[in-house]
Amino acid sequence: MLRRTFLGLLGGAGALAALPATAGAAGKHFGPHPDTMAVLFDATRCIGCRQCEKACNEVNNLPAPEKPFDDMTVMDTERRTDDKTYTVVNKYATEKGGVFRKMQCNHCLEPACASACFVRAFKKEPNGAVTYDASVCVGCRYCMVACPFSIPAYTYNDPITPRVVKCTMCSPRLAEGKLPGCVERCPKEALTFGPREEIIKIARARIDAYPDRYQHHIYGEHEMGGTCWMYLSGAPFSEIGMREDLGTTSAPELTSGALAAVPMVVGLWPVLLGGIYAVSKRNQKVANAEKVMAVKNALTKASSEAEKKLSEELKKADVANKRLIEVEVKKAVEEALSAKDEDAASSEEES
């Protein structure tokens, strides 16, 4: 491909990509929907029994963990969710003593993962859950980078059908009118499920009733535009592994400018790859021709040198043969003369 042609195609793709973006969720706002549900986690009630982990494992048909759910030694190190674990409970040393905190997808009202996904593999459901469609996912993993809570995981060990995995707020169970598995299993009612507005009222009522027990803040009410998984804690949230630097602006508002360029990149990418491929093929063709010429020259040079060396060796052989003949002739002459002298001496003796 000529450079002029390549640049022309590149300009055409740029003009097309500059049209209004249709891919991605940049600038899109998702909620809250009137039917949005939510969960409140109360860290002052959690005893770290890990029954929520067990319930999550069962309802999602996940593989058994390396250590059983009654093994509390897992609390010795801080864990995070992965492709086989959608929720974990960690223990933190705080000014209030040891505090347990459950970690899972927070199901943002305006999800960063959905905002970053230009193929819309993530969807904010009316019930509050953020779900994922593996059939349209291209495996870019922008969602993993975008999530401020570091939740989405990737099945790297599945080379055939890799996908992004995370808590779905038990969306299939919600559709059946059931509670999320972890909420249903919690023995201490550290988890409360209901309409988001009602959950916020419950949280405020607890803070008002026990002002000395709680931080006067509902984590998730406004963080990153609000979430459907909210928290109460007696210890500062920063001491139980939660970010307090997120602000209240939603992810789409923060990323709309950057994500608007994604369709352009997607449009340019095939042209760029095509141009690079054409240039590389041309370079390869030139390189191959140069290799053929180099080999030909090397063979010609080697042949010439071989002929020269052979000629020299033949000359050396001729000289050696001549010398050998001279030696043999000289030797024969000397032998003949010696024989003649012997015959002459014999004749004289006989006379």
Side-chain angles (χ1 to χ4, degrees):
M1 183 184 293
L2 295 176
R3 182 176 66 174
R4 185 177 302 168
T5 305
F6 172 65
L7 292 177
L9 289 174
L10 187 63
L16 289 174
L19 295 174
T22 57
K28 179 178 179 181
H29 292 264
F30 298 90
H33 190 275
D35 298 327
T36 294
M37 306 299 282
V39 178
L40 175 67
F41 171 75
D42 191 334
T44 68
R45 297 186 178 190
C46 182
I47 59 174
C49 65
R50 299 183 66 202
Q51 285 301 304
C52 56
E53 292 186 29
K54 185 176 182 180
C56 179
N57 178 274
E58 292 173 356
V59 300
N60 289 292
N61 298 313
L62 299 175
E66 294 182 3
K67 294 183 178 181
F69 291 108
D70 58 359
D71 187 343
M72 299 303 159
T73 61
V74 297
M75 300 285 187
D76 295 339
T77 57
E78 185 174 357
R79 298 174 294 154
R80 61 151 292 172
T81 57
D82 57 34
D83 60 317
K84 299 180 182 65
T85 311
Y86 296 173
T87 187
V88 295
V89 176
N90 288 313
K91 184 177 182 180
Y92 300 88
T94 74
E95 62 182 27
K96 298 278 188 175
V99 176
F100 299 101
R101 197 260 295 186
K102 183 179 182 296
M103 178 181 183
Q104 73 297 302
C105 175
N106 288 328
H107 300 278
C108 304
L109 294 182
E110 299 183 20
C113 54
S115 176
C117 182
F118 60 88
V119 295
R120 298 180 182 176
F122 287 91
K123 180 182 179 182
K124 180 65 176 179
E125 303 289 350
N127 61 13
V130 177
T131 57
Y132 164 77
D133 183 357
S135 67
V136 299
C137 179
V138 297
C140 68
R141 287 160 284 177
Y142 291 162
C143 55
M144 298 174 66
V145 178
C147 179
F149 304 108
S150 303
I151 293 299
Y154 196 69
T155 56
Y156 292 100
N157 60 343
D158 187 354
I160 306 301
T161 56
R163 64 192 189 283
V164 176
V165 291
K166 69 172 191 67
C167 160
T168 63
M169 204 172 172
C170 288
S171 188
R173 288 174 60 88
L174 298 186
E176 298 174 1
K178 299 178 181 179
L179 292 172
C182 57
V183 175
E184 186 177 69
R185 188 72 61 88
C186 182
K188 294 295 182 179
E189 297 184 353
L191 296 168
T192 306
F193 177 81
R196 189 172 187 271
E197 292 304 318
E198 293 300 318
I199 290 297
I200 292 174
K201 291 178 182 178
I202 291 172
R204 286 176 180 159
R206 290 185 189 179
I207 294 173
D208 292 340
Y210 303 98
D212 295 334
R213 178 186 298 178
Y214 295 102
Q215 296 289 311
H216 290 206
H217 178 63
I218 305 171
Y219 192 101
E221 181 180 8
H222 301 295
E223 276 76 7
M224 293 298 297
T227 65
C228 287
W229 211 286
M230 292 173 284
Y231 301 79
L232 289 180
S233 174
F237 290 102
S238 60
E239 293 186 10
I240 59 172
M242 304 187 74
R243 294 181 61 178
E244 293 187 308
D245 61 342
L246 298 176
T248 59
T249 304
S250 66
E253 292 182 61
L254 292 172
T255 59
S256 59
L259 289 174
V262 170
M264 181 179 293
V265 174
V266 174
L268 291 177
W269 197 243
V271 180
L272 288 172
L273 290 180
I276 293 170
Y277 177 76
V279 172
S280 65
K281 291 296 290 184
R282 179 182 180 280
N283 290 341
Q284 183 179 357
K285 189 178 294 185
V286 172
N288 288 338
E290 291 176 349
K291 287 180 181 178
V292 171
M293 184 60 68
V295 170
K296 184 177 180 179
N297 292 338
L299 289 175
T300 301
K301 184 178 180 181
S303 177
S304 176
E305 291 179 353
E307 290 179 0
K308 181 179 179 181
K309 188 171 184 179
L310 179 61
S311 176
E312 291 175 353
E313 292 298 326
L314 288 175
K315 289 180 180 179
K316 290 180 182 179
D318 288 343
V319 171
N321 287 336
K322 287 179 181 179
R323 289 180 179 176
L324 180 61
I325 292 172
E326 290 175 356
V327 170
E328 293 297 328
V329 169
K330 184 177 180 180
K331 182 179 179 181
V333 171
E334 290 177 350
E335 290 178 351
L337 291 174
S338 177
K340 183 178 180 181
D341 291 340
E342 289 178 356
D343 291 341
S346 299
S347 299
E348 288 178 359
E349 289 178 356
E350 290 176 357
S351 340

